[in-house]
Amino acid sequence: MTMSEPYYITTAIAYPNGRPHIGHAYEAIATDAIARFQRLMGRDVRMVTGTDEHGLKMDQTARAAGRETLEFADEMSTYFKNMCSELNISNDVFMRTSDKRHHEASIALWQAMEASGDLYLDRYEGWYSVRDEAYYGEEELTEGEGGVKLSPQGTPVEWTVEESWFFRLSKYQDALLAHYRDNPDFIRPESRKNEVLRFVEGGLKDLSVSRTSFDWGVPVPGSPGHVMYVWVDALTTYLSGIGFPDKESDFSRFWPANVHIIGKDIVRFHAVYWPAFLLSAGLALPQQIFGHGFILARDGAKMGKSAGNAADPLELAERYGVDQFRYFLLREVNFGQDGSWSEEAIVTRSNAELANSFGNLAQRTLSQIFKNCDAYLPPIHGHTDEDNALFDLVGNTVSETIPTAFENLALSQAVEAWITAVSACNAYIDAQAPWALKKTDTARMETVLATLYICIAQLAVAISPIIPAGAGKMLDAMGVAPELRNFARIKSHWYSPLAEADFRLEQPQGVFPRLELPAEE
RNA sequence: GGCGGAGUAGCUCAGCUGGUUAGAGCGUCGGAAUCAUAAUCCGUAGGUCGGGGGUUCAAGUCCCUCCUCCGCUACCA
């Protein structure tokens, strides 16, 4: 029974009609780093991810492969679940929209919206392309040969009428605008917010929220032949993942979510439809929607299922290391903007900062303690101004700069502040030169090594949300107890007790090896 | 078309409400050191801040205009 403050974070719910690509990995990693950070701040965290398995495309993809849709979905969702474990994602829940509990949640949400009088049966009419399985607006169409109307994709369209349930989205225009105004951080980053504002200001039309052309979805209660529009049930995952509609579940403690981490391409669904659904159902709105950018190949080509050049994130993680891959993505890409990747960039970044700067700092410090202090943590014989300056810099980075950056979801800035502090440690060790003090002043040597030991432990804890495995390994080797590995406790006086407990180092081993690019074929 | 971003050293980018000689990392070149994963540290070179015009004592930072790239412009997800 914890009394700590709850924190609820989600990734978008991935549509698994293909294997996970680097964009899915990026989102999971970023969300995981934030969740891990919040845990280290002492919060009671729930992180939910999962797969959005309904909709026409899943149905079609399965059929095209001659498979049963559910069986196909079972397999595909496994890839996403595996990705989470392979990439060291600490999600508490993996929710599939095909799950029975999820259906119950979706129906409960639907009924709540219906009870508010926001759902009505009508006909949906429009220009429909059978080929694209999509409706198009009159203004989007072009005229082909013989006056035939064509979709933007150049496929023929025909006027189609379909019975559909509608959601009174138009009714919520003012309420949404008021919410955006009263909660300036509801949509981030700023550029996404502007797009949404303009979209909503432009007027909202009611939304068609059921389909009759296929049955792979959540059945609309009391309306045979209709299944819910996939977005209605997909978004509901954020509720079902914590037990909605069961009032005795985690739902009561964790809703509303602190933040939904999503791709910039689905901001509208989260910043317009979702809050409107929740308002209608009488539920609280999430505190924030954060739309991150895309990860592009360094040549500028967009990564995507259809682009054909989608790198397999698990292959990259295996080749270069999970921590290295995570570190690269969160360090190199400004969270909220697009970024690019290449194998060379991963290797360069990882070697320069994880292997050379941080890994080697730990290795040279621990090695000297191992060899010169008989592997016992050396005592401290009073600190100099130089020591205190380093403590101040590292301490301030660990307890102020990095937490502030994480709270603002400025992930790359957090890492940048971290590496700056690491560099300060390297400058310190060079200036103090404990290897020279060994011959002239062993007491001072001991103090210098102890000072570094304390700083390295703090830095390892601070970066552990980004590189949990490597940081953990390093702290294990250093004898730092698990209960000390959070932002509050690592700043306490644990060093002397550990030294006095006669803790002894094992032969130090590098945690972050230098990487090499695979040889050209 | 409309609205919104972006264009800063070879590369990737910081530069908040305008104010001393425009910053960082990587890369380059030179030096130091040798505890360490040939890792580290110090220093150097390098930019008319997309073009043009304007406001101001002062503009990368505000206004106008032009060029280039990108995003949004509702029912695939």
Side-chain angles (χ1 to χ4, degrees), chain A residues 483-497:
Chain A
E483 60 269 23
L484 293 174
R485 300 179 194 179
N486 60 63
F487 281 89
R489 296 289 304 282
I490 199 60
K491 293 278 290 173
S492 68
H493 291 283
W494 52 267
Y495 178 83
S496 294

Side-chain angles (χ1 to χ4, degrees), chain A residues 410-431:
Chain A
L411 305 183
S412 59
Q413 280 92 318
V415 183
E416 188 174 13
W418 175 78
I419 196 68
T420 299
V422 170
S423 289
C425 290
N426 272 318
Y428 170 88
I429 196 172
D430 267 47

Side-chain angles (χ1 to χ4, degrees), chain A residues 429-440:
Chain A
I429 196 172
D430 267 47
Q432 301 303 316
W435 49 88
L437 292 169
K438 181 175 69 172
K439 300 163 197 153
T440 58

Side-chain angles (χ1 to χ4, degrees), chain A residues 107-123:
Chain A
I107 288 167
L109 181 75
W110 181 281
Q111 287 170 335
M113 295 194 292
E114 194 168 31
S116 297
D118 289 333
L119 298 176
Y120 61 94
L121 200 55
D122 202 344
R123 293 186 311 165

Side-chain angles (χ1 to χ4, degrees), chain A residues 195-364:
Chain A
E195 287 175 4
V196 171
L197 277 178
R198 216 135 306 109
F199 174 75
V200 176
E201 283 163 357
L204 295 175
K205 288 193 276 187
D206 287 352
L207 187 69
S208 163
V209 289
S210 76
R211 298 288 185 273
T212 55
S213 52
F214 58 92
D215 62 4
W216 175 241
V218 181
V220 172
S223 188
H226 287 260
V227 294
M228 295 181 194
Y229 172 45
V230 283
W231 272 108
V232 174
D233 97 80
L235 290 161
T236 304
T237 309
Y238 304 136
L239 303 176
S240 65
I242 48 173
F244 177 84
D246 181 359
K247 300 282 190 249
E248 303 301 307
S249 66
D250 276 351
F251 177 73
S252 57
R253 173 161 171 73
F254 288 95
W255 191 258
N258 291 75
V259 62
H260 294 312
I261 304 295
I262 61 170
K264 65 180 184 179
D265 53 332
I266 54 174
V267 167
R268 172 176 318 137
F269 300 98
H270 286 78
V272 181
Y273 301 169
W274 182 227
F277 294 164
L278 291 168
L279 285 170
S280 172
L283 295 171
L285 306 194
Q287 287 174 27
Q288 188 170 92
I289 309 296
F290 191 98
H292 67 248
F294 292 147
I295 306 301
L296 314 169
R298 189 122 286 185
D299 61 12
K302 180 177 173 180
M303 299 307 301
K305 287 164 288 215
S306 54
N309 60 346
D312 180 348
L314 299 189
E315 212 169 281
L316 290 171
E318 188 178 351
R319 189 174 304 159
Y320 299 111
V322 171
D323 279 342
Q324 284 82 351
F325 183 56
R326 291 171 58 109
Y327 184 84
F328 169 79
L329 288 173
L330 299 187
R331 162 62 163 140
E332 186 97 350
V333 181
N334 201 331
F335 198 53
Q337 298 185 336
D338 289 352
S340 62
W341 73 278
S342 69
E343 299 196 60
E344 191 185 359
I346 295 171
V347 169
T348 302
R349 184 62 82 177
S350 173
N351 281 348
E353 299 183 0
L354 289 182
N356 297 352
S357 290
F358 187 57
N360 185 52
L361 169 69
Q363 184 67 6
R364 65 202 300 209

Side-chain angles (χ1 to χ4, degrees), chain A residues 57-90:
Chain A
K57 278 208 172 150
M58 278 296 287
D59 206 26
Q60 284 179 326
T61 309
R63 278 161 202 259
R67 312 268 300 270
E68 282 298 313
T69 310
L70 180 58
E71 183 237 337
F72 176 71
D74 286 345
E75 180 192 330
M76 297 311 290
S77 85
T78 302
Y79 297 130
F80 284 80
K81 206 178 251 180
N82 286 348
M83 176 186 80
C84 288
S85 55
E86 296 285 324
L87 296 179
N88 215 351
I89 307 301
S90 64

